[in-house]
Amino acid sequence: MWKTDAFFKLFGLCLLAGILVAGLLFPLAGGLGVASNKASETVDSMSAELANVPPPLLTTITDSAGNPIATLYDQYRIPTATSEINDAMKWALISVEDRRFLDHHGVDWAGTLRAALSNSTGADTQGASTLTQQYVKNYLINVIYRNDEAGQRKAQEQSLARKLKEARIAIQLETKMSKDQILTSYLNVVEFSRKIYGIGAAARAYFNTTPDKLTVTQAALLAGMVNNPPVYDPWNNPERAMQRRNLVLDRMVDNNKLAPEDGQRLKAEPLGVVPDGPSKPASNCTGAGPENGFFCQYVQDYLLTHGMTKQDLYSGGYTIRTTMDQNANHLAKVSAETQVKKTQKNVANTLSLVRPGKDRHEVVALAANRDYGTDATKGQTTYALPSDVSNVTGAGSSYKIFTTAAAMEQHKVGIYSTIQTPQSYSSRVFLGGKPGCPQVAQATYAYCMSNYGEGNYGSTMSLQQALATSPNTGFVILEEQAGIGAVLDMAYRLGMRNTMMSNAANGGAVDPDGQSLAYKMPQQKYYGPEGPQKSGFGSFTLGVSPTSGLELANVAATIMSGGVWCPPTPLSSITDREGQAVSPIHEDACEQVVPEGLANTLAVGMSKDITEGTAHAAAAAVGWNRPAIGKTGTTDVSGSSAFVAAVPQLAGAAMIFRPDFPIGGLIDGGVGNVSAVQGTGDGNMFGGKTPARTWFGAMVPILGNQPALPLPPSDPAYEH
């Protein structure tokens, strides 16, 4: 005698069958007819989604030559054609999931009633969904609603309404797709656990093979997994996976697709999966490896900040060809690591390289002494050291470039003009000094500073000589003359876009009205003999602000491009899953940010740092003989240093800083012997030491036999 609940299960399934027949074949009149029409519209809409919403595919990132360096994905899937799947896989799946697949038209009525009778009498629980219905369900869960938890729950709910829609869609699909197409589509969308979807990825991940080469036992294991991937995971649950695989082999025997003696023999074989978990690529930039990971990370960050969503990036199946030169990136990494060991605690040494141009500024290399990765015990990091705006890093006197350019633009000074460079100076324009500086009002002190060392500078010198030897006082005086707003504005225009926007270089927020690129500064006032004066961020020209090494490299590229700024792009091309060129993001247009004559004259002004200035020793050590521009920089207590430089073919910036504990200095003990001060003491690091050695160490082999191109001639309008 049947139990009451068993009776109602059977009754419900019979009712479902009746509704299906009525809804599919005989539209009802009146109110029920309206409901049927609405259901039909829903079914048609879902059928269209199945046809028009493509499954997630992995995105491939390549170098400039098209060599893959990384894959990004949420679902590891390799699209596979019908002809690329062998019969063993097809028959294994049909035998265990839907033995009447070739005979029904989307819904297996006999199977539905059989399952109802079996389930309601207490026998083994049996399913009734056909492979076509399972395809619909898997597509909804794994594709359409993959990021929608509510949608996924709805696609799996145990209700007559859900079964009705699923069955109707399945019948529709059977009128539009062949059995081979349905089977192949199912095998391309179904999950196999551990972010592995589709037979192409499963064959590769589980057996390191392709679907056309799967053996019968391999096919049986994979066919058995689709019923419950986590439960039948062969690494986590090998015994259950073996039982399930052998059940599939038995079903193949029952379905006359395998001889009984072969089935018995094959059941004795081991699972045969690859050891230690699935063989699949990393799903993010760690797959690019310790050397290329920083570039990959910048590509991802660039795309996400220029209009692409992470969901699209990780599922769109794009091929993103980058501008990265693998050889240059390798040589940059070698140079950075030669100077500072990769495992050196609390020391990051980075090098960013950008190719100048008036229509594009292509990022060529992004390297660091540290490896890109997740193992901190090996000194690895996934923080974008070369490109991000570090909250602990200043570039020192390299920021004097912006003060120089702002003053030159206003024709307050030329590169051959004489400027004041006293050994010490107290600014009455910039305030914020400490006790010991002249007091200009109650509890308010002038901003005072001095040049490094005693007697190293004369009281005056040419601006070109000042750029080479870097007296602090001279550039604070220039900053007063040009005005802090103009200097900050110049930093933004020449290339410090994200740097200034993200932290405003400690100078306040960008004008929200967009009327000016100048930054709003604190406007404290004091009354001295000259009357009311405004204060500002006087130390900006000394480079105390957080800085992106990549953007600093792009500043040099702007100067070498005749004053044309372009975004530092890592992108050569983007193609979609069909191989068609697409433009899914918006990149800013290039801009003539300063007159070409000013940029060329500034380049000439910066050329003496290489030949007789603070970078001369590093240049001489490698026998450097090319015309180049350069500017070193070091922050207080030698906590960070930089060297920004360029030749006509390539611009770059090397930066060294303390990424983990910012307080305190860095010690340069020579090549490969750099360390962080224990505690908060001073160091002896300068831009002309480790950073300059890093830049020259990479540029010499990268440039190789390329011609030594001259710098552009200066413009007399900006010389005096």
Side-chain angles (χ1 to χ4, degrees):
M1 189 172 183
W2 290 354
K3 298 178 181 178
T4 302
D5 61 344
F7 170 77
F8 280 111
K9 286 182 181 178
L10 176 58
F11 177 77
L13 287 168
C14 291
L15 179 62
L16 169 62
I19 293 172
L20 285 171
V21 172
L24 292 170
L25 302 178
F26 307 105
L28 300 177
L32 289 179
V34 173
S36 179
N37 289 337
K38 289 183 177 179
S40 295
E41 291 174 3
T42 301
V43 169
D44 289 340
S45 174
M46 294 176 71
S47 297
E49 285 185 304
L50 260 66
N52 298 324
V53 179
L57 295 182
L58 57 83
T59 288
T60 301
I61 297 179
T62 80
D63 65 9
S64 59
N67 302 306
I69 61 171
T71 52
L72 310 178
Y73 63 87
D74 290 322
Q75 297 182 4
Y76 178 42
R77 178 181 281 106
I78 302 173
T80 307
T82 298
S83 60
E84 297 171 328
I85 306 172
N86 66 10
D87 288 342
M89 185 66 235
K90 296 176 183 177
W91 283 116
L93 183 66
I94 291 172
S95 297
V96 73
E97 290 294 327
D98 187 3
R99 63 182 301 177
R100 279 181 288 278
F101 173 67
L102 298 179
D103 300 321
H104 62 67
H105 299 288
V107 178
D108 184 0
W109 301 111
T112 298
L113 294 175
R114 172 187 52 75
L117 288 169
S118 178
N119 296 344
S120 60
T121 57
D124 291 340
T125 302
Q126 298 185 34
S129 292
T130 65
L131 278 174
T132 311
Q133 289 172 279
Q134 290 183 47
Y135 168 58
V136 173
K137 182 179 178 180
N138 275 278
Y139 211 96
L140 292 173
I141 295 170
N142 298 335
V143 179
I144 294 174
Y145 298 133
R146 66 185 185 275
N147 297 308
D148 181 352
E149 291 184 7
Q152 288 199 350
R153 287 194 300 269
K154 192 172 183 179
Q156 300 177 80
E157 67 183 6
Q158 296 301 312
S159 69
L160 292 178
R162 196 271 294 175
K163 290 179 181 292
L164 171 61
K165 285 188 288 188
E166 185 180 279
R168 293 188 66 171
I169 296 171
I171 292 174
Q172 275 196 1
L173 288 178
E174 293 258 358
T175 66
K176 300 175 181 179
M177 300 171 67
S178 69
K179 292 289 186 178
D180 254 351
Q181 288 174 322
I182 292 170
L183 188 60
T184 300
S185 297
Y186 174 93
L187 282 169
N188 271 309
V189 78
V190 71
E191 180 183 3
F192 289 92
S193 85
R194 303 196 188 203
K195 286 190 174 183
I196 301 165
Y197 293 78
I199 190 60
R204 180 71 55 82
Y206 285 81
F207 302 107
N208 201 23
T209 188
T210 53
D212 60 318
K213 294 182 175 63
L214 286 168
T215 66
V216 173
T217 53
Q218 290 171 344
L221 175 66
L222 295 178
M225 284 192 66
V226 302
N227 179 266
N228 196 328
V231 169
Y232 300 122
D233 183 297
W235 294 281
N236 289 340
N237 304 306
E239 291 184 3
R240 300 190 72 169
M242 178 71 79
Q243 293 171 358
R244 181 69 178 171
R245 185 203 69 175
N246 290 347
L247 172 65
V248 176
L249 293 172
D250 287 340
R251 294 286 173 83
M252 293 179 74
V253 171
D254 295 342
N255 208 25
N256 297 318
K257 297 305 174 185
L258 193 62
E261 59 272 19
D262 289 334
Q264 201 61 33
R265 174 179 54 82
L266 292 174
K267 285 162 66 174
E269 291 191 3
L271 292 177
V273 293
V274 298
D276 304 321
S279 173
K280 62 177 183 175
S283 61
N284 52 41
C285 282
T286 58
E291 192 164 283
N292 298 330
F294 293 109
F295 201 102
C296 176
Q297 185 65 53
Y298 179 63
V299 172
Q300 174 174 301
D301 294 344
Y302 191 86
L303 290 167
L304 296 182
T305 55
H306 285 76
M308 186 178 282
T309 65
K310 188 172 183 180
Q311 178 180 330
D312 192 23
L313 176 60
Y314 274 66
S315 65
Y318 297 104
T319 298
I320 300 172
R321 181 178 288 219
T322 74
T323 56
M324 186 186 79
D325 182 320
Q326 282 242 45
N327 181 59
N329 202 64
H330 170 69
L331 293 171
K333 166 70 170 172
V334 169
S335 185
E337 196 175 315
T338 297
Q339 295 299 323
V340 182
K341 297 182 180 71
K342 69 173 65 178
T343 56
Q344 184 63 52
K345 292 183 179 180
N346 199 26
V347 183
N349 188 34
T350 69
L351 180 59
S352 307
L353 299 176
V354 179
R355 183 175 293 111
K358 293 190 176 183
D359 55 355
R360 281 172 65 82
H361 287 180
E362 296 182 344
V363 183
V364 173
L366 291 171
N369 65 310
R370 287 187 169 187
D371 287 345
Y372 188 88
T374 58
D375 191 343
T377 64
K378 297 180 180 179
Q380 295 179 353
T381 181
T382 54
Y383 178 69
L385 295 173
S387 55
D388 268 10
V389 180
S390 169
N391 60 0
V392 300
T393 306
S397 293
S398 59
Y399 270 46
K400 292 170 182 175
I401 295 170
F402 311 129
T403 302
T404 300
M408 289 174 63
E409 185 175 51
Q410 298 174 36
H411 294 284
K412 295 183 180 297
V413 69
I415 59 167
Y416 300 131
S417 298
T418 298
I419 66 171
Q420 302 297 311
T421 57
Q423 181 59 28
S424 60
Y425 182 71
S426 296
S427 174
R428 300 294 179 123
V429 173
F430 303 119
L431 307 182
K434 301 176 181 179
C437 295
Q439 187 169 351
V440 295
Q442 185 176 3
T444 302
Y445 299 90
Y447 173 59
C448 59
M449 82 299 302
S450 61
N451 297 328
Y452 176 76
E454 291 292 335
N456 292 341
Y457 302 93
S459 59
T460 63
M461 64 179 67
S462 72
L463 178 56
Q464 185 183 48
Q465 189 64 26
L467 285 167
T469 56
S470 207
N472 293 333
T473 59
F475 288 95
V476 171
I477 293 171
L478 274 184
E479 192 177 42
E480 290 178 344
Q481 295 172 0
I484 187 63
V487 175
L488 294 168
D489 185 56
M490 183 61 70
Y492 181 92
R493 286 156 57 193
L494 287 179
M496 309 303 289
R497 306 288 173 105
N498 290 333
T499 293
M500 301 295 282
M501 293 286 284
S502 62
N503 60 68
N506 296 338
V510 177
D511 183 352
D513 298 327
Q515 299 301 312
S516 170
L517 295 178
Y519 293 74
K520 294 181 177 180
M521 301 299 298
Q523 297 299 310
Q524 298 173 344
K525 294 183 179 181
Y526 79 93
Y527 288 85
E530 303 87 1
Q533 302 289 313
K534 292 183 178 180
S535 71
F537 185 29
S539 61
F540 179 81
T541 193
L542 305 183
V544 299
S545 310
T547 297
S548 162
L550 172 59
E551 288 200 318
L552 193 60
N554 200 37
V555 167
T558 299
I559 295 170
M560 293 303 294
S561 302
V564 175
W565 172 88
C566 300
T569 181
L571 307 175
S572 287
S573 66
I574 302 177
T575 53
D576 62 17
R577 64 179 67 206
E578 305 298 333
Q580 300 299 311
V582 293
S583 300
I585 66 168
H586 170 74
E587 292 187 275
D588 292 333
C590 297
E591 305 171 26
Q592 185 77 48
V593 293
V594 295
E596 184 169 7
L598 189 159
N600 293 346
T601 308
L602 178 60
V604 173
M606 293 172 61
S607 63
K608 277 199 172 185
D609 195 21
I610 308 293
T611 58
E612 57 186 71
T614 53
H616 173 66
V622 297
W624 185 264
N625 59 2
R626 294 172 178 270
I629 67 172
K631 185 72 192 77
T632 60
T634 302
T635 58
D636 193 34
V637 307
S638 293
S640 60
S641 296
F643 179 56
V644 55
V647 294
Q649 298 100 317
L650 200 59
M655 292 185 64
I656 187 169
F657 53 96
R658 299 169 56 122
D660 305 318
F661 182 71
I663 307 302
L666 293 167
I667 300 295
D668 185 319
V671 175
N673 187 21
V674 175
S675 61
V677 171
Q678 298 298 311
T680 60
D682 290 4
N684 68 346
M685 180 63 66
F686 289 98
K689 293 185 175 182
T690 298
R693 293 198 302 262
T694 300
W695 192 89
F696 287 113
M699 291 294 285
V700 169
I702 289 172
L703 293 172
N705 295 324
Q706 293 184 42
L709 301 178
L711 297 178
S714 62
D715 184 337
Y718 297 97
E719 291 180 346
H720 298 282

